[in-house]
Amino acid sequence: MKSKKILILFIACFISPFLIAAIVLRLGWLPDHTVNKGQLVNKETHIQNWQNPNGYLWTMVVVSQSGCDDFCKNQLESVKNVQLALGKKSEHVGVMLLSRNIKADLAIPVQVVNQDDLISDEIYLVDHMGLVVLSYPFSAQENLNKPVFKGMLSDIKKLLNYARSS
């Protein structure tokens, strides 16, 4: 009798987490918010022929479909400021421009690709294998970009801490 109770209790301990998880999923009790500030890219997107010569863990990518105009240069300058704000962790984060063709000489690495699923007005956070993970909107109005870059800085710091702990 005692061994039967122990066996039932033992089985219940293993089945109850699965049962609770199924109930939570069925009733939609999942949280509505996430801790990341950027928009998680839903579709798995890899950048074609990804080159990461410096071995950065993460790269902030600015996409420009045709060359690099003033708007693109403003994006690059802002992203470089985010990289500088990382302090000593900035050695693990790179900045790159993706474009179909580039006409200007820039002080950052440029990768020429035909990537149609990336939007020009956004900044992307890409891992060391070329997987696009997060996107951040960029506006021509500077006051709208401050919270975006603050969130980007926060997300990068979290991701670098996770990379260090694993």
Side-chain angles (χ1 to χ4, degrees), residues 13-103:
C13 286
F14 282 106
I15 293 176
S16 61
F18 294 108
L19 187 63
I20 292 170
I23 291 170
V24 167
L25 289 174
R26 289 250 185 234
L27 297 177
W29 291 346
L30 297 174
D32 293 335
H33 68 283
T34 59
V35 294
N36 57 305
K37 309 294 191 261
Q39 181 68 34
L40 189 64
V41 177
N42 292 330
K43 181 183 166 201
E44 185 174 334
T45 305
H46 285 275
I47 296 178
Q48 303 163 1
N49 303 321
W50 177 250
Q51 299 169 2
N52 189 3
N54 297 326
Y56 294 124
L57 293 175
W58 295 96
T59 304
M60 295 177 285
V61 173
V62 174
V63 179
S64 176
Q65 297 300 341
S66 58
C68 192
D69 56 4
D70 290 337
F71 185 73
C72 167
K73 289 178 183 173
N74 190 12
Q75 280 181 308
L76 288 171
E77 182 181 329
S78 298
V79 170
K80 288 293 281 180
N81 288 340
V82 171
Q83 184 189 30
L84 288 173
L86 287 167
K88 67 179 183 177
K89 293 182 180 184
S90 67
E91 64 190 25
H92 302 294
V93 180
V95 176
M96 184 177 286
L97 172 67
L98 288 184
S99 180
R100 290 178 193 222
N101 55 12
I102 192 68
K103 298 172 184 154

Side-chain angles (χ1 to χ4, degrees), residues 35-37 153-163:
V35 294
N36 57 305
K37 309 294 191 261
L153 186 62
S154 169
D155 287 347
I156 292 172
K157 285 180 179 179
K158 284 178 193 169
L159 288 168
L160 288 172
N161 284 336
Y162 293 147

Side-chain angles (χ1 to χ4, degrees), residues 109-129:
V110 177
Q111 192 166 342
V112 179
V113 295
N114 187 7
Q115 197 81 25
D116 292 329
D117 43 358
L118 299 180
I119 302 169
S120 285
D121 293 343
E122 296 203 2
I123 298 168
Y124 295 92
L125 195 57
V126 179
D127 75 350
H128 64 285
M129 300 296 286

Side-chain angles (χ1 to χ4, degrees), residues 3-18:
S3 63
K4 192 173 183 180
K5 284 183 182 179
I6 291 175
L7 180 63
I8 292 172
L9 184 62
F10 186 72
I11 291 172
C13 286
F14 282 106
I15 293 176
S16 61
F18 294 108

